[in-house]
Amino acid sequence: MEQKPNNQDKNKASVDLIRHSKATYATYDRITMSDNPSQPFDHRDQIFPDLSPEGVELAKKSAKEFLKTLDPNKDELFFVSSNEVRALETAEIYHNEATMRRFIISKPEHSRSSISDKYLNGDIRMVNALSINFKNSIANNLLNPQSSRRQINFEALDPKEVETYKNLQEEIDKDNKGSFAANFLAYGDLVKKEIPEFETAEDLYNRNFKELIRFFKFAEKKAESSTPERQLRILAFSHENQLLVALNKYFDEHGINNCEILHVESSDEGIKAKFRGKESIIEGNALQINSVVMEKIKTEKQKVRFRKG
């Protein structure tokens, strides 16, 4: 008798969300010193490369340590990234290490990134859900520690804008938390009140969350077409900005270091995340549960209509 395929035997997918390595943020410097210092970030116009020498070394070391934990005979890799150079560069360093270790690497049909095509052979797929896309470069600069704030060409701005930015800077520096992540969480609402286009950590979490769920569905679909007997591992290179709320909410953590990993995988309970030795079922599972419940309600209604008929 022919055995029916078991759903548990299907290839499963997992996503490793990796924060980019240490960078110079040269593109941001160019923007804030330009004739339009508050302009939004444009991923098509970036300075390449952007990782600092220390960042390159950290990424190489971290790639070796991470890939040692995987098995080239069992794990198939797919690389995706934010649209920012520092994330794409970090992804490429991991990609090079994986190639050297003879992993099977699935190449994207389209990278969706001119930078990936031009400098990285199109090996890295750009994903919007992993990107920040700042809408006001000065606003984000205000949240840096005082020691790492970029210079701003205030002469190019309207006096009222200058006053707004300087008042915000003064307010933040009354109790500067010492890191971008801490200031982002503490003062995001304050900045948004004065600069409406600014996106808080909560805004980024809400904007990217549904995208993350869709991205995970894409991962699961891709896993089904991966090489038999292999597990698909998607290495996703991103930023701390949109992860801060989730890290705080699910793990009681308030930041993620350069090249540190948030692991996400399918489980019987839903979508499970792992970080710093802790595990949590992320909220995306609630969407799946609601979907199942609504489907059951719909089925029951159909049964009632059938009986009435």
Side-chain angles (χ1 to χ4, degrees):
M1 184 181 291
E2 189 179 348
Q3 238 181 354
K4 290 183 179 180
N6 187 341
N7 284 340
Q8 291 182 341
D9 294 333
K10 284 185 178 179
N11 287 0
K12 291 183 179 179
S14 66
V15 176
D16 294 290
L17 288 159
I18 305 171
R19 187 188 171 196
H20 64 81
S21 196
K22 296 178 180 179
T24 65
Y25 300 90
T27 299
Y28 294 177
D29 283 330
R30 183 178 67 186
I31 291 173
T32 57
M33 285 303 294
S34 73
D35 292 334
N36 184 11
S38 61
Q39 66 184 279
F41 171 79
D42 182 354
H43 71 89
R44 297 162 299 182
D45 183 20
Q46 298 185 70
I47 295 173
F48 184 97
D50 192 40
L51 291 186
S52 65
E54 295 81 8
V56 171
E57 290 308 309
L58 174 62
K60 286 180 178 178
K61 179 183 176 184
S62 300
K64 287 177 182 176
E65 290 174 354
F66 172 66
L67 291 167
K68 273 183 194 175
T69 67
L70 307 186
D71 186 344
N73 296 313
K74 294 180 180 177
D75 295 306
E76 181 175 342
L77 308 182
F78 185 67
F79 287 78
V80 297
S81 172
S82 150
N83 59 21
E84 299 210 31
V85 163
R86 60 190 180 280
L88 286 161
E89 279 184 87
T90 306
E92 185 68 2
I93 289 171
Y94 278 67
H95 187 283
N96 291 342
E97 181 67 22
T99 301
M100 190 184 74
R101 292 174 181 268
R102 299 185 181 278
F103 279 90
I104 288 180
I105 301 173
S106 181
K107 187 179 174 77
E109 267 186 63
H110 306 287
S111 74
R112 301 189 179 182
S113 165
S114 58
I115 291 174
S116 179
D117 287 337
K118 184 175 180 179
Y119 298 107
L120 310 176
N121 198 35
D123 292 329
I124 315 299
R125 161 82 179 271
M126 188 273 285
V127 173
N128 270 324
L130 301 171
S131 307
I132 306 171
N133 295 318
F134 286 144
K135 294 179 172 61
N136 184 308
S137 297
I138 296 179
N140 288 277
N141 183 43
L142 294 173
L143 296 167
N144 283 319
Q146 291 169 290
S147 60
S148 58
R149 280 199 187 121
R150 288 172 290 281
Q151 288 187 312
I152 298 170
N153 181 17
F154 282 123
E155 292 182 2
L157 296 172
D158 179 273
K160 287 185 179 179
E161 285 184 281
V162 175
E163 184 179 3
T164 297
Y165 291 130
K166 290 194 172 180
N167 286 342
L168 281 170
Q169 187 169 292
E170 185 178 333
E171 193 64 30
I172 292 167
D173 287 343
K174 285 178 182 177
D175 185 20
N176 195 302
K177 306 300 181 183
S179 74
F180 174 84
N183 286 333
F184 193 35
L185 288 170
Y187 299 115
D189 289 337
L190 173 69
V191 175
K192 188 177 182 69
K193 186 177 177 181
E194 299 297 328
I195 307 170
E197 69 269 25
F198 174 80
E199 290 185 298
T200 66
E202 192 74 35
D203 290 334
L204 286 175
Y205 173 75
N206 291 330
R207 171 161 68 85
N208 287 332
F209 186 67
K210 289 181 182 178
E211 288 296 321
L212 178 60
I213 297 301
R214 280 198 286 268
F215 175 66
F216 201 86
K217 287 179 181 177
F218 158 78
E220 290 182 320
K221 185 177 178 182
K222 191 163 183 64
E224 291 175 10
S225 62
S226 65
T227 308
E229 308 302 326
R230 290 182 180 272
Q231 297 302 307
L232 181 67
R233 300 285 297 250
I234 294 186
L235 275 57
F237 296 81
S238 189
H239 310 268
E240 66 178 342
N241 305 55
Q242 60 261 53
L243 297 177
L244 291 175
V245 170
L247 293 174
N248 192 11
K249 183 174 185 178
Y250 300 117
F251 302 101
D252 195 28
E253 297 284 355
H254 306 288
I256 180 169
N257 298 323
N258 294 109
C259 295
E260 197 170 11
I261 298 171
L262 170 64
H263 178 78
V264 182
E265 64 184 31
S266 295
S267 73
D268 292 337
E269 296 90 352
I271 300 176
K272 181 188 291 182
K274 300 178 182 180
F275 185 67
R276 295 180 180 172
K278 304 173 189 176
E279 292 187 3
S280 180
I281 300 298
I282 65 174
E283 200 169 75
N285 188 45
L287 294 179
Q288 292 179 332
I289 291 171
N290 288 339
S291 176
V292 171
V293 170
M294 291 306 294
E295 190 61 35
K296 284 184 178 178
I297 291 172
K298 183 180 176 183
T299 302
E300 289 304 314
K301 284 181 177 179
Q302 287 173 342
K303 286 179 181 177
V304 170
R305 284 198 299 270
F306 179 79
R307 286 198 293 269
K308 285 181 177 178

